[in-house]
Structure formats: C-alpha cells, structure tokens
C-alpha cells in the first residue's frame, strides 16, 4: 500500500512539474513572440510614474507595445493599429499614464501617423499625419498636461537639395490640431531635431541638434540660442534635464575626430563623454568618470540622483551613480553581465524614484535595484533566445 501511495505521489509531482514547465515555456514563448526583431528592433522606454514602463519595438514592420505597471516584473500586450511601421514611438504623460500616444512612420511611402489610445474602447484613434520620419523621432508629450504635445518637422529629401522645410509644432488639444512655434530658430545648418521637456516646469523646453541647443521658457513662444558649435567638432547624442532644476542639463557627446566607420558592421564607433551645465547650456563642465575611454554612454536622472552606464573600449561595462544631482559620480559594482555581440549591449538606461534600474539592449531587458553601492539584478525575464 505504501509503495502505491509513493507511486501516486511521484506521478502527481511529475505532473505538477510538467505543468509548471509548460506555463513557463508558454510565457517565454509569448515574450519572444512579442519582442521585436533582433536587427530591426527599436526600443523606447518611458516612466510616467515610478513603476509604469512602456517597451516599444518593431517586428517585421509591425509595431509591438508592452506595458508594465510594476517596473518590468509582468507585462500587458497592446493590440496596435494596423499600420506598417519601420519606425515607431509610444509616449505617455506623467500627468496621466493611461493616456498613450503612438507615432509610426513607413519609409516606403514617406507616411507617418499619430494615434491616441482610448482605454475604454480599447481602440487607437488616428489624430494626425506626419510628413517625415524626424517628426516621429522628436515627438514629446507635456509631463504635466497630457493634452499638450510637440514635434519637430524637418524635411530635406536626399534626392532634392532644393527642398528644405523646418518647423517646431505644438498641439494643445491632444494632437488634433497643430501650430508652428519655432520663431527665432532660423539657421538651417544648426536647426534642432530633438526635444526634451522639463518635468518640474513644462513651459521650459530644450530643442537640440548634434551641434546646437535652444531653450524656451514660455512653451515655445520664444526661443533662445544657448549653445552653438560652429566648427562642428562635438556631436551631441542626448540631452537630459534635472527634474528639480531645469537650468541644469547634461549632454552625452562625442568628439567627431574620435569617430571611425566600421564597414563590416555598417556603423560609426565614437568615444563618448558627458558634460554638465548649471546655466542652461551657456557654460559646460566635463564630468570625469575614470581614465577609461568609452565606446558608449547611457544616462538618466531622477529627483534623487543620476545613473550612468558606460561601456569601455574593451567592452567592459561600468556603472556610476550620483546622489547629489550630478555634482559628482562614483562607480558601483553590478551583477549585470555583458550580453555578447557588439550590437547587443544596452542602449538605454532608466532610473525611477525608488532607484530601480532598467537596462535595455537589442535582445534583452534587465531590471535591478541599487543598494549597498551595488546594482543587483532582480528580474530579467524578457529576452530573445
């Protein structure tokens, strides 16, 4: 009788294990199904509040959107508009994380669309048509008012150098109508192609190009030229605003002379550095991290501090944190490992108010938390196999 009981218990345990394995495999398969293509994937992460995250990518010219309300521990899949999208971007406002906007662009017919998500009807409403790809790359929503949006329209087709059209546009009705607000920005060689908005005072915006920075303090009515690199020796890759102090900004940049083209991988490799300005970009101080030179730097800042991910020229990752609003940084230990190929290292780093960290690469998304001066991994479920 005892042998029979043991046999039945063994069968039950095996069944439970098989059931758990099946659920786990099914979950991972669904992640792999929804993740974007290895080479064509474009990832955009946003944190409208401390724990809401959007993972935006492209797979076979179809947009993929996953949303997490617990900073990446579990995900909800969104059915996206039926629109071929070589490039896409999903944005949300901190004022209303449920209000999602989706912008997509199809390079084959130079057509772009802006959609708004109706959560009650679970439906994407088409709001606006774009003339060019750059509008998708630059579109931003006001963090304090989800009805206010901005984008830069820069149209200069490679096949006709006589055609050139630039404007910064603003919507106050949730993307239904738009007005032109670029005004004083007129130098065609330095016109900006990206926007960032202050989270503490959304009347303050910075628009920037690889060689220039402009600022408005009244929601785009007037723009001031803050920085202009006329020799075009430095290339600005990204601009970041201190959430508590919109006068303090950071730029990740590279020296053009440090860049070299790799024909086998079809990309430019540069040596990256980071600078800080306390006067809106008029003067800059170099942030010294170490004696290493870096092939990549990702940066993010919250109201508590800042974090830097840097990959040195030996492909060794380094992590730096600041607890004094970027005045100084210290290197910390990390459990995060390097992912493999050159195209696979993390491109994006995000930090929320609880000092949770997200690192996103082409094939992976990993989540960790900083404590005891160490970056600990606590979730890394979404990964292409």
């Amino acid at each position: 009788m005892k042998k029979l009981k043991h046999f039945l218990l063994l069968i039950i345990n095996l069944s439970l294990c098989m059931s758990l394995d099946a659920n786990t495999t099914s979950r991972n398969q669904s992640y792999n199904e929804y993740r974007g293509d290895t080479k064509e994937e474009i990832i955009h992460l946003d944190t409208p509040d401390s724990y809401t995250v959007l993972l935006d990518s492209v797979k076979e010219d179809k947009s993929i959107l996953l949303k997490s309300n617990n900073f990446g521990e579990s995900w909800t899949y969104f059915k996206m508009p039926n629109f071929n999208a070589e490039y896409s971007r999903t944005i949300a406002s901190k004022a209303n994380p449920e209000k999602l906007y989706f912008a997509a662009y199809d390079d084959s017919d130079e057509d772009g669309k802006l959609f708004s998500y109706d959560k009650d009807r679970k439906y994407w409403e088409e709001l606006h048509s774009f003339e060019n790809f750059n509008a998708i790359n630059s579109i931003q929503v006001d963090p304090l008012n989800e009805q206010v949006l901005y984008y830069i329209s820069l149209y200069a087709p490679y096949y006709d150098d006589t055609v050139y059209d630039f404007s910064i546009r603003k919507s106050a009705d949730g993307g239904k109508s738009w007005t032109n607000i670029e005004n004083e920005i007129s130098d065609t060689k330095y016109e900006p192609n990206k926007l960032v908005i202050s989270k503490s005072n959304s009347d303050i915006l910075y628009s920037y190009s690889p060689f220039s920075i402009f600022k408005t303090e009244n929601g785009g009515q007037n723009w001031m030229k803050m920085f202009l690199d006329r020799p075009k020796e430095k290339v600005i890759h990204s601009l970041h605003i201190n959430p508590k102090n919109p006068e303090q900004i950071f730029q990740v940049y590279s020296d053009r002379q440090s860049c070299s083209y790799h024909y086998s991988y079809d990309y430019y490799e540069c040596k990256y550095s980071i600078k800080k300005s306390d006067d809106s970009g008029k003067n800059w101080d170099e942030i010294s991290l170490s004696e290493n030179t870096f092939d990549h730097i990702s940066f993010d800042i919250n109201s508590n501090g800042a974090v830097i991910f840097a990959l040195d020229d030996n492909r060794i990752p380094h992590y730096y944190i600041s607890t004094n609003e970027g005045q100084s940084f210290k290197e910390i230990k990390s459990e995060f490992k390097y992912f493999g190929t050159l195209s696979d290292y993390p491109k994006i780093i995000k930090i929320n108010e609880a000092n949770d960290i997200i690192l996103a690469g082409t094939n992976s998304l990993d989540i960790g938390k900083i404590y005891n001066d160490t970056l600990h991994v606590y979730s890394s479920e979404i990964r292409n196999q």
Side-chain angles (χ1 to χ4, degrees), residues 87 103-107 109-113 128-138 151-157 165-167 169 193:
Y87 309 96
Y105 177 76
D106 183 3
D107 194 37
D109 56 6
E110 296 186 355
D111 188 22
K113 302 286 185 184
H128 183 66
S129 294
F130 294 105
E131 297 86 355
N132 56 69
F133 155 72
N134 191 73
I136 305 300
N137 191 42
S138 65
Y151 77 86
I152 294 175
S153 178
L154 179 58
Y155 183 60
D165 179 54
F166 165 81
S167 63
R169 299 179 186 179
N193 56 9

Side-chain angles (χ1 to χ4, degrees), residues 66-296:
L66 300 174
K67 182 180 180 181
S68 172
N69 291 321
N70 51 21
F71 215 66
E73 293 185 14
S74 61
W75 298 84
T76 301
Y77 171 73
F78 277 78
K79 185 177 180 180
M80 302 303 288
N82 186 21
F83 183 83
N84 288 335
E86 293 193 33
Y87 309 96
S88 71
R89 193 152 189 264
T90 306
I91 52 176
S93 171
K94 188 175 182 179
N96 181 7
E98 299 298 326
K99 181 69 172 180
L100 300 179
Y101 293 96
F102 170 73
Y105 177 76
D106 183 3
D107 194 37
S108 61
D109 56 6
E110 296 186 355
D111 188 22
K113 302 286 185 184
L114 176 67
F115 302 85
S116 174
Y117 187 69
D118 186 325
K119 69 172 185 176
D120 296 325
R121 294 188 296 163
K122 295 184 178 180
Y123 171 76
W124 290 93
E125 176 188 2
E126 183 177 330
L127 299 174
H128 183 66
S129 294
F130 294 105
E131 297 86 355
N132 56 69
F133 155 72
N134 191 73
I136 305 300
N137 191 42
S138 65
I139 189 167
Q140 297 283 350
V141 59
D142 188 321
L144 305 180
N145 184 350
E146 72 274 14
Q147 293 297 312
V148 176
L149 295 93
Y150 300 85
Y151 77 86
I152 294 175
S153 178
L154 179 58
Y155 183 60
Y158 68 90
Y159 51 81
D160 188 351
D161 58 8
T162 64
V163 178
Y164 189 92
D165 179 54
F166 165 81
S167 63
I168 301 179
R169 299 179 186 179
K170 178 179 181 179
S171 172
D173 57 6
K176 295 177 182 177
S177 62
W178 297 81
T179 56
N180 190 341
I181 62 167
E182 94 278 1
N183 298 323
E184 291 90 355
I185 304 176
S186 59
D187 191 334
T188 58
K189 294 181 180 180
Y190 295 89
E191 286 163 343
N193 56 9
K194 292 183 180 179
L195 289 164
V196 286
I197 307 175
S198 169
K199 294 180 180 179
S200 58
N201 180 356
S202 58
D203 284 335
I204 296 178
L205 290 82
Y206 292 87
S207 58
Y208 66 100
S209 76
F211 311 106
S212 62
I213 299 173
F214 300 86
K215 179 187 179 184
T216 177
E217 297 178 347
N218 51 19
Q221 295 180 41
N222 305 100
W223 291 89
M224 299 173 286
K225 189 181 299 181
M226 309 305 299
F227 173 78
L228 203 61
D229 181 13
R230 291 214 175 266
K232 293 188 176 183
E233 294 177 350
K234 310 292 184 183
V235 179
I236 302 173
H237 296 276
S238 62
L239 198 68
H240 309 267
I241 307 174
N242 185 327
K244 293 193 296 186
N245 177 14
E247 302 297 312
Q248 185 184 76
I249 57 177
F250 298 80
Q251 63 162 294
V252 177
Y253 77 97
S254 62
D255 190 323
R256 291 188 73 179
Q257 295 181 350
S258 75
C259 299
S260 58
Y261 183 70
H262 291 248
Y263 290 94
S264 56
Y265 294 101
D266 190 25
Y267 83 105
Y268 280 93
E269 183 177 69
C270 304
K271 301 302 180 185
Y272 286 69
S273 303
I274 188 166
K275 288 182 178 181
K276 176 178 67 72
S277 172
D278 294 321
D279 56 8
S280 302
K282 296 177 183 177
N283 299 285
W284 294 89
D285 295 318
E286 190 85 20
I287 293 178
S288 178
L289 298 176
S290 72
E291 295 181 355
N292 294 313
T293 57
F294 297 109
D295 290 344
H296 175 79

Side-chain angles (χ1 to χ4, degrees), residues 265-333:
Y265 294 101
D266 190 25
Y267 83 105
Y268 280 93
E269 183 177 69
C270 304
K271 301 302 180 185
Y272 286 69
S273 303
I274 188 166
K275 288 182 178 181
K276 176 178 67 72
S277 172
D278 294 321
D279 56 8
S280 302
K282 296 177 183 177
N283 299 285
W284 294 89
D285 295 318
E286 190 85 20
I287 293 178
S288 178
L289 298 176
S290 72
E291 295 181 355
N292 294 313
T293 57
F294 297 109
D295 290 344
H296 175 79
I297 288 179
S298 294
F299 177 85
D300 194 31
I301 184 169
N302 64 15
S303 59
N304 298 318
V307 62
I308 294 173
F309 165 76
L311 194 74
D312 70 22
D313 47 15
N314 292 316
R315 307 294 178 224
I316 297 174
H318 299 264
Y319 303 88
Y320 302 88
I321 61 168
S322 171
T323 56
N324 54 11
E325 300 185 27
Q327 299 301 319
S328 61
F329 285 82
K330 66 177 179 179
E331 187 166 6
I332 61 173
K333 299 177 182 178

